[in-house]
Amino acid sequence: MAAYKVQVATGDILLAGTYSSVSITLVGARGESSKHRLDHQGRDFVRGAVDDYEVPFEQDLGPIHLIRLHKEPYLFFPTDNWFCNFVRVTTPKGETYNFPSYQWLEGSCTLTLREGAAKTVSDDKGNPQLVEHRKEELKKRQESYGWKEYAPGWPRCVDAKSTDDLDSNSKYLFTKSSVFAMRTVKSELEMRLKGFNNLSESWKNLDDIRRVFWFMRTPVTEYVTEHWMDDDFFGYQYLNGVNPVVIKKCPAIPDNFPVTPEMVAGSLGKSTSLQEELKKGNIFITDYKILEGIPTCKLNGKQQYLAAPLCLLHFNPKGQMMPLAIQLKQTPGPENPIFLPTDSKWDWTLAKIWVRMSNFHVHEVNTHLLEAHFHCEVYSMATLRQLPMCHPLYKLLIPHTRYTLHINTLARTSLIQPGGVFDQATATGRDGMIKLLAKGAEASTYSSLCLPDDLQERGVASLPNYYYRDDGMKIWKAIETFVSGIVGLYYRCNSSVKGDPELQAWVHEIFTEAFLGRKESGVPSTLESKAELIKFLTMIIFCSSARHAAVNSGQFDFAAWMPNTPATLRQPPPKVKGSASLESILATLPEVNSSCALLTLLSIVSYEPGDLRPLGYYPEEHFTEEAPRKLIAAFQERLAEISKEIEARNKTLPIGYLYMNPAEAQNSVSI
């Protein structure tokens, strides 16, 4: 007798298999089959297995639109979970229908899956059953993924008190959780064994700092240790360190930073002047005004300090970005000197340390936590809440949401909770961090997240030796080309974008929940054209992958030598020149236990704990049609070329820029 052939794939991950009874119902255009148990002699649905079954042909169901998988207890076996990769159905006429799943079925449940061809709402007009399925799927997801406010002025986040509350499809796999936990224990144990965790005193000398993290040395940490006092390396970090998004061209000296030509003449040399370099576009600035008014805390019972400095830099003929002048407070005055490279060694070193500490806070709280983690969490949430699995944008974006809800929930329940590392190791403490991130959220803009716009606005689009820009633009263009192809397949014209209610609900939710409905952010609340959609999607994928890698993966490399990136300072900013010495700097740098609390964390989060999915690696085949698969293959080929170009360039550099290599950058914010 003729039969429907059914192929069921179980995930090849730990604990993916099931002892439960699994049945299937086929739903076609002309009717549906009886519920049929999928059962062979022996065990079915083993990890990594692809099992073949037959469902009796009772009637011609027509094109198969949906299937229902029924998971029920079997005999005395305990209730378990099952990870189903996909189901493939072949009709008696030889027509094949694919049903991507790639999700957990927990306990006793029924999962309805739609045939895998990507469809927008307009494609389902005339089929009430499929339209209703879209609505029901989104209703269930919106119940599973609710919003909450963590702190005033912050982007909203998933409503979960701990990672245990998350939907299983958003959690770390068991293996990743285990590796992450082991790495945490190892780092904390190392500190305990060395006796540093409870040592609330100053570092005695610089060599002691060098010995703390000896077991995690890398070529970059070694380079930083040797060159942290060099002016050219100080400037290099603005281009290729962990916060390469704050330096701007300076067309005129700000009124509140009264640097005179005479002050910097010795640094610029006799052949040029400050005015000439300003005209040439060789003067740059970093301004940490956002730190003004942020409260500080006490560590080990002692008051900590923060500054809001300005730093002027010069891009010299040797291709080096050199600091020219530093003012540690926003308002000029006799007790707010402008420090210069021509000052004493320790005065100038201390001024640079203050800037590096300020840069730590802006980077960690706004560039990293806000723009990389919490914005990307909203992109993930909106995708899950507003786009059904059959939507082409869901299929495009779902790989770039992997584990983001888990790592952010983990951050909220450990890293930034009261008593967490911000209270243990940073000048602001948790309270100041909460205020700083809210200020960052109020100032965030769409253009700063779109790399080509950001580079133009900051005046650094053609700056040499800017590897963040070089690698980032290659990746941005590769993503843009890929996204353009996908959008072109499923949206024929601008009106099809404008008329997609699921897409519009998705972008509006991002506008309201990530950017708090701020029109001045420039973030769109609606999308009116294919070009606008392509740009928005490119931004989301870039920020979730390459940009996060750029601002995350080098954290330990640049901070393992603590004087290069202190998280707090124990003395107020100097009001006069001539008072700094090595001894006074050691008395200003964070104490031993504060240093170690931060470095322990950075040693964990700077490296992915296994279960890696580099940019463009899509083992879960959500797109089932040939056309998008070809676009994915072309995208992967271009990313492989970019990796080779980066690796070849890095061989020629004293310190390679590693962080945006597509072979290393992850698809999603997962650590």
Side-chain angles (χ1 to χ4, degrees):
M1 187 172 72
Y4 288 90
K5 295 180 180 178
V6 176
Q7 193 175 67
V8 182
T10 297
D12 189 15
I13 54 179
L14 190 64
L15 306 177
T18 183
Y19 288 98
S20 296
S21 170
V22 176
S23 304
I24 191 168
T25 302
L26 307 179
V27 182
R30 301 191 187 107
E32 63 180 70
S33 72
S34 301
K35 177 180 171 182
H36 181 79
R37 185 178 171 197
L38 304 177
D39 184 34
H40 288 316
Q41 188 172 8
R43 188 181 170 194
D44 299 278
F45 313 115
V46 176
R47 170 184 172 177
V50 179
D51 298 310
D52 293 293
Y53 304 92
E54 291 189 351
V55 174
F57 179 80
E58 301 165 340
Q59 61 172 313
D60 182 4
L61 301 175
I64 308 299
H65 294 320
L66 303 167
I67 63 169
R68 299 190 193 101
L69 293 174
H70 313 275
K71 182 174 175 290
E72 299 164 308
Y74 179 66
L75 298 177
F76 54 83
F77 288 97
T79 301
D80 60 8
N81 302 328
W82 174 43
F83 192 90
C84 176
N85 273 359
F86 62 84
V87 177
R88 185 172 291 124
V89 177
T90 304
T91 70
K93 295 180 180 179
E95 299 162 322
T96 299
Y97 298 89
N98 296 293
F99 297 85
S101 172
Y102 304 107
Q103 58 187 297
W104 291 99
L105 283 75
E106 298 183 297
S108 298
C109 64
T110 295
L111 174 66
T112 303
L113 295 173
R114 174 160 173 169
E115 200 281 321
K119 302 288 184 181
T120 63
V121 176
S122 63
D123 297 323
D124 285 344
K125 285 181 179 177
N127 193 323
Q129 183 183 46
L130 294 182
V131 172
E132 185 61 25
H133 176 256
R134 301 177 85 103
K135 292 178 180 178
E136 285 299 314
E137 181 185 343
L138 292 180
K139 181 181 177 183
K140 289 178 181 177
R141 290 244 212 90
Q142 288 166 12
E143 290 170 355
S144 296
Y145 297 94
W147 292 109
K148 76 172 182 182
E149 180 185 76
Y150 180 79
W154 283 36
R156 295 226 285 169
C157 62
V158 65
D159 186 5
K161 293 180 181 178
S162 73
T163 55
D164 292 338
D165 294 339
L166 293 172
D167 185 285
S168 290
N169 295 298
S170 296
K171 294 179 183 178
Y172 277 180
L173 293 178
F174 178 77
T175 48
K176 190 178 183 81
S177 291
S178 299
V179 172
F180 188 81
M182 288 175 62
R183 180 177 292 165
T184 302
V185 169
K186 178 182 176 183
S187 292
E188 291 178 348
L189 181 62
E190 178 75 20
M191 291 298 98
R192 287 196 189 100
L193 290 175
K194 290 184 173 183
F196 293 132
N197 271 4
N198 299 314
L199 201 58
S200 57
E201 58 185 55
S202 299
W203 295 95
K204 301 300 183 187
N205 54 64
L206 295 178
D207 285 338
D208 285 349
I209 304 172
R210 190 188 305 263
R211 285 192 285 267
V212 172
F213 271 79
W214 62 269
F215 64 98
M216 290 195 68
R217 288 180 181 174
T218 70
V220 179
T221 62
E222 291 294 288
Y223 189 94
V224 173
T225 303
E226 295 300 321
H227 296 278
W228 72 285
M229 290 179 67
D230 298 349
D231 283 359
D232 62 327
F233 182 64
F234 176 90
Y236 167 92
Q237 292 179 83
Y238 279 120
L239 303 182
N240 305 306
V242 293
N243 200 22
V245 298
V246 294
I247 191 168
K248 300 178 181 179
K249 184 172 288 186
C250 181
I253 303 299
D255 291 340
N256 68 329
F257 192 14
V259 177
T260 65
E262 293 75 20
M263 287 180 181
V264 297
S267 298
L268 293 175
K270 297 179 181 179
S271 61
T272 189
S273 68
L274 180 59
Q275 286 305 316
E276 287 180 34
E277 294 304 302
L278 285 166
K279 289 178 183 177
K280 292 177 183 177
N282 290 332
I283 301 299
F284 296 83
I285 193 168
T286 57
D287 186 348
Y288 298 92
K289 181 176 175 59
I290 197 169
L291 296 175
E292 198 171 35
I294 297 297
T296 58
C297 68
K298 290 184 178 181
L299 297 177
N300 298 318
K302 300 170 187 173
Q303 186 62 48
Q304 306 297 297
Y305 296 90
L306 190 64
L310 299 106
C311 179
L312 201 68
L313 301 106
H314 174 231
F315 190 76
N316 70 18
K318 295 180 181 179
Q320 299 168 317
M321 186 65 72
M322 303 291 283
L324 276 183
I326 292 170
Q327 181 178 285
L328 297 181
K329 300 175 185 176
Q330 290 287 312
T331 304
E335 293 189 340
N336 187 19
I338 294 175
F339 292 92
L340 306 166
T342 50
D343 291 337
S344 74
K345 171 183 174 181
W346 295 116
D347 274 353
W348 181 235
T349 298
L350 180 59
K352 289 189 292 181
I353 287 173
W354 273 100
V355 173
R356 292 294 302 158
M357 193 265 283
S358 301
N359 190 71
F360 166 85
H361 285 277
V362 170
H363 161 259
E364 200 61 65
V365 177
N366 289 340
T367 308
H368 186 207
L369 280 178
L370 171 63
E371 295 175 346
H373 279 263
F374 298 147
H375 280 170
C376 290
E377 178 172 359
V378 177
Y379 309 152
S380 298
M381 284 280 286
T383 299
L384 291 165
R385 286 171 48 84
Q386 303 298 342
L387 302 175
M389 284 181 65
C390 65
H391 199 289
L393 300 191
Y394 177 94
K395 294 174 181 287
L396 173 68
L397 293 174
I398 197 64
H400 303 286
T401 71
R402 189 171 186 251
Y403 294 151
T404 300
L405 301 187
H406 186 110
I407 189 60
N408 284 6
T409 302
L410 199 61
R412 284 187 288 271
T413 56
S414 58
L415 171 67
I416 63 175
Q417 71 171 352
V421 73
F422 275 92
D423 279 339
Q424 297 172 22
T426 73
T428 64
R430 179 177 182 269
D431 290 346
M433 176 273 297
I434 285 175
K435 291 179 174 63
L436 176 56
L437 195 141
K439 286 180 76 172
E442 190 175 3
S444 62
T445 63
Y446 187 39
S447 60
S448 69
L449 301 174
C450 297
L451 183 62
D453 297 347
D454 176 53
L455 296 170
Q456 288 294 334
E457 283 192 0
R458 291 191 288 115
V460 293
S462 59
L463 190 59
N465 305 326
Y466 193 9
Y467 308 124
Y468 165 78
R469 186 267 327 278
D470 296 343
D471 299 353
M473 280 304 300
K474 289 178 181 179
I475 294 169
W476 177 278
K477 289 175 181 176
I479 295 171
E480 185 178 52
T481 299
F482 171 49
V483 166
S484 298
I486 295 293
V487 169
L489 288 176
Y490 300 103
Y491 294 94
R492 295 180 180 177
C493 58
N494 292 338
S495 61
S496 60
V497 172
K498 192 173 181 179
D500 184 344
E502 292 169 341
L503 181 159
Q504 297 299 340
W506 167 77
V507 68
H508 189 265
E509 189 156 61
I510 291 171
F511 173 70
T512 56
E513 307 300 349
F515 300 94
L516 307 180
R518 292 174 46 253
K519 292 182 180 179
E520 59 271 25
S521 69
V523 175
S525 60
T526 62
L527 294 170
E528 306 290 322
S529 67
K530 291 169 65 175
E532 288 181 5
L533 174 59
I534 289 165
K535 181 176 181 178
F536 197 70
L537 290 167
T538 302
M539 181 276 290
I540 287 176
I541 295 174
F542 180 78
C543 288
S544 300
S545 57
R547 193 178 192 269
H548 173 254
V551 304
N552 174 76
S553 301
Q555 289 181 97
F556 182 77
D557 283 346
F558 287 93
W561 179 248
M562 180 272 292
N564 185 61
T565 311
T568 186
L569 293 173
R570 294 180 288 146
Q571 301 295 330
K575 296 180 179 180
V576 296
K577 296 185 181 184
S579 61
S581 64
L582 175 57
E583 290 71 24
S584 70
I585 287 176
L586 289 171
T588 300
L589 289 170
E591 290 161 322
V592 175
N593 58 349
S594 300
S595 304
C596 292
L598 180 68
L599 292 179
T600 297
L601 173 71
L602 296 184
S603 70
I604 297 165
V605 302
S606 295
Y607 307 102
E608 288 281 347
D611 193 15
L612 309 182
R613 292 196 179 172
L615 179 58
Y617 175 54
Y618 304 134
E620 297 177 349
E621 296 179 352
H622 290 278
F623 282 109
T624 60
E625 311 99 303
E626 187 63 25
R629 286 168 178 257
K630 287 182 178 178
L631 292 173
I632 289 171
F635 180 45
Q636 292 169 335
E637 186 176 334
R638 176 57 187 138
L639 292 174
E641 292 172 357
I642 294 170
S643 286
K644 290 180 181 178
E645 292 166 8
I646 290 172
E647 289 163 5
R649 180 210 54 213
N650 284 344
K651 290 178 182 178
T652 69
L653 301 175
I655 174 173
Y657 185 68
L658 316 167
Y659 308 111
M660 299 183 83
N661 187 336
E664 304 293 335
Q666 299 302 297
N667 264 331
S668 60
V669 179
S670 57
I671 186 63

